[in-house]
Amino acid sequence: MLSVMRKAAFLIAAATGLTPPSNELVAGTSLAGKNLECAYLASRDGWGASDFHRCVDDCGSTLVVCETQRGLTFGGFNPLGYRSTDDYGATANAFIFYEDADGVAKKSRVLGSGDGCIYDLAKGGPQFGASDLIVGRPKAATMGGFTGPDTEDTISAQGDLRTATSSPGSSYERDPSWPASAIASGKLRKRPAGSTRTSRGPRRRPISRCRSRRVGGRFEISGKM
């Protein structure tokens, strides 16, 4: 199966010409030293959660990278991969990140044993923790409280990967400079550190790009809308 996945990944990458992630970003992960290529392009493959899972499920460890309309880059590393299990997993090796004004990746690592740090919802896009970073939140709750794949209509309830919210601290380290509002609004961070959230909760506006990358010679990316 590995050879098949690599063949598909090379074909997708040839159409995008994406530069692989920096060595610093993937250092110490299962992606380090691997030949990474494009596996998912949202502007081409679709912005729905079902499109994401169609391209990404059963592909192994994944690096998710998103870019807002104003150029803010953020994402996370999921060493467990995706399978649309409608369940959550534990790992001490995951992280979420954003790039500062100098293009340097700032990581927030898993707290403790990482229980519940990765959600794998068929109706949703990449989700790190209960609220730490959610791209394409499902429009309907998962049936049965994580008791296995949902049997309801996934298409009508699927999340839109143009939207994201982020509030680290439950499963990942809390960073005072984390650009929560910039992620939710699609704008670069303008508020002082620590004042990026409101009592009404995060807003969700379109993301211009959403991409992710994975091990085994493959990564996913989306281009501009």
Side-chain angles (χ1 to χ4, degrees):
M1 183 168 67
L2 180 59
S3 61
V4 174
M5 289 193 296
R6 283 185 172 175
K7 180 178 179 181
F10 281 120
L11 291 174
I12 296 172
T16 63
L18 181 70
T19 301
S22 67
N23 293 332
E24 292 78 9
L25 182 59
V26 298
T29 73
S30 56
L31 298 175
K34 299 294 192 302
N35 294 321
L36 304 178
E37 305 214 3
C38 183
Y40 166 73
L41 180 63
S43 60
R44 178 198 60 207
D45 299 321
W47 289 92
S50 62
D51 301 312
F52 173 79
H53 286 285
R54 171 173 49 81
C55 295
V56 178
D57 281 7
D58 300 313
C59 288
S61 301
T62 304
L63 179 66
V64 176
V65 182
C66 301
E67 183 178 359
T68 69
Q69 293 173 337
R70 296 295 181 89
L72 175 65
T73 298
F74 64 95
F77 173 60
N78 172 8
L80 304 178
Y82 297 96
R83 293 182 296 142
S84 296
T85 61
D86 282 334
D87 205 346
Y88 55 81
T91 175
N93 299 318
F95 64 80
I96 56 177
F97 75 94
Y98 76 95
E99 290 185 0
D100 64 15
D102 296 319
V104 177
K106 303 294 185 180
K107 298 180 182 179
S108 290
R109 299 190 180 277
V110 168
L111 295 171
S113 62
D115 186 33
C117 71
I118 298 293
Y119 280 59
D120 183 22
L121 306 181
K123 296 176 183 176
Q127 180 169 342
F128 297 83
S131 60
D132 299 80
L133 177 60
I134 304 175
V135 181
R137 183 191 297 272
K139 296 178 181 178
T142 301
M143 291 179 59
F146 308 105
T147 57
D150 201 329
T151 57
E152 287 189 343
D153 180 13
T154 300
I155 301 299
S156 63
Q158 68 176 322
D160 183 347
L161 271 69
R162 293 181 180 89
T163 63
T165 60
S166 183
S167 181
S170 61
S171 295
Y172 295 82
E173 297 170 333
R174 187 185 302 276
D175 180 353
S177 65
W178 186 265
S181 286
I183 290 173
S185 67
K187 298 179 180 179
L188 290 174
R189 185 175 69 255
K190 295 183 179 180
R191 301 181 184 179
S195 62
T196 57
R197 294 285 306 280
T198 69
S199 60
R200 293 181 297 175
R203 295 170 295 168
R204 291 186 284 175
R205 293 182 183 173
I207 292 174
S208 63
R209 299 179 184 173
C210 180
R211 60 192 180 188
S212 56
R213 301 167 180 167
R214 67 161 298 274
V215 71
R218 186 168 180 174
F219 65 84
E220 310 97 39
I221 178 175
S222 79
K224 278 189 175 181
M225 294 168 55

